[in-house]
Amino acid sequence: MEVYPSDYKNQVMDKIVIKPSTKEIVLRSKPEDGHVDVFSYNYEGSSANSLGGLFVVGQVHPANEETSYLVNLVASLAKREYYSLTEATPKEAFSKTLKKINEVLQDFFRNKELKVNIGLFAIAGENILISRLGKFKIILARDNQSIDILNNINLFNKEHVQAKEFSNIVSGKILPKDKILAFYAGRSMTTREKNIHDYFIKLGADEFSEKLNSIKLANDNFLCAAIHVTVNKFKEPAIIKSHQPQELLKPESSFEKPAAYPQPILAKISKVSREKISSKELSDI
């Protein structure tokens, strides 16, 4: 029996994809403790760039009409800049985003009476990129242990990008089943940090947020701005083209065939799930 190229079909195989699922936790306190907020974004363009998810956790003090929108402004700038760099790698896009924020917000940063605490991080595949200004912590739960990412030089690298407010990038690898907690390191959280770490290791995202809610119910002054991330592993179909042996190809006919026009390739886009305890929603600027 003769075998022709039409008998060799593309193979559909599963590929492993790492995706984060997130839960936003915002428990505000009295105005004198400042304004806090968190933001989570997911790249909805071509998956070929793999820019992944972008996250912002922030607090500003004092909180008034002229300053309370600052966290929202940083988040909007970060989102616009990061996802506009479609030809860049995640690290290049993240670095350029920090430079843009430093440039646009330099007048705010010069105000000595304004206290700004903001953390930004991106998760793109197995890579995590982090930068901070002020009181911000991000911890990793792995193998029943909690790791302070910003202070762990064995697993994560630190790179200086410029002598400005957002000046350093901490980078490293994440694994399936890892959990990440990024939060404003205010007094409410730091005085309970040991218990927070224990809850984070032992509990899932929903149970963890419920635990923090119970602390808030017992103490109305408790303040928390955090993003809980669970790193999941999924299987997605990937089409692999089969290579055909030259001797099996049909002989070309003597006449010229019409040129084949390229067909569009559709990219399957997946979104990061997000859930926020606070009912507050801020629109992009």
Side-chain angles (χ1 to χ4, degrees), residues 92 140 146 150 214 279:
E92 291 170 344
L140 169 70
S146 64
L150 296 177
S214 68
S279 60

Side-chain angles (χ1 to χ4, degrees), residues 26-39 56-63 67-72 74 109 113-120 133-136 166 183-187 223-226:
V26 177
L27 302 170
R28 295 189 175 91
S29 182
K30 49 189 183 296
E32 49 265 38
D33 289 332
H35 177 76
V36 296
D37 216 334
V38 302
F39 297 87
V56 180
V57 176
Q59 184 262 5
V60 60
H61 182 272
T67 62
S68 293
Y69 70 94
L70 183 57
V71 179
N72 188 356
V74 170
F109 296 146
E113 296 181 359
L114 183 64
K115 304 299 181 184
V116 181
N117 302 287
I118 296 180
L120 290 89
L133 174 63
K135 299 177 181 179
F136 171 79
F166 288 101
F183 60 94
Y184 160 60
R187 187 172 181 275
L223 180 148
C224 175

Side-chain angles (χ1 to χ4, degrees), residues 61-107:
H61 182 272
N64 53 48
E65 291 183 358
E66 297 180 353
T67 62
S68 293
Y69 70 94
L70 183 57
V71 179
N72 188 356
L73 177 59
V74 170
S76 298
L77 280 171
K79 175 189 177 184
R80 185 184 312 152
E81 184 71 12
Y82 185 70
Y83 292 123
S84 70
L85 301 168
T86 55
E87 301 300 321
T89 66
K91 192 170 186 178
E92 291 170 344
F94 194 74
S95 178
K96 290 179 180 179
T97 298
L98 298 180
K99 292 177 181 179
K100 186 67 173 182
I101 293 172
N102 286 334
E103 174 188 331
V104 173
L105 300 182
Q106 56 183 326
D107 290 339

Side-chain angles (χ1 to χ4, degrees), residues 19 26 30 35 58 63 69 72 143 196 212 216 242:
K19 296 180 183 178
V26 177
K30 49 189 183 296
H35 177 76
Y69 70 94
N72 188 356
D143 298 330
I196 296 293
L212 295 185
K216 178 67 174 178
S242 300

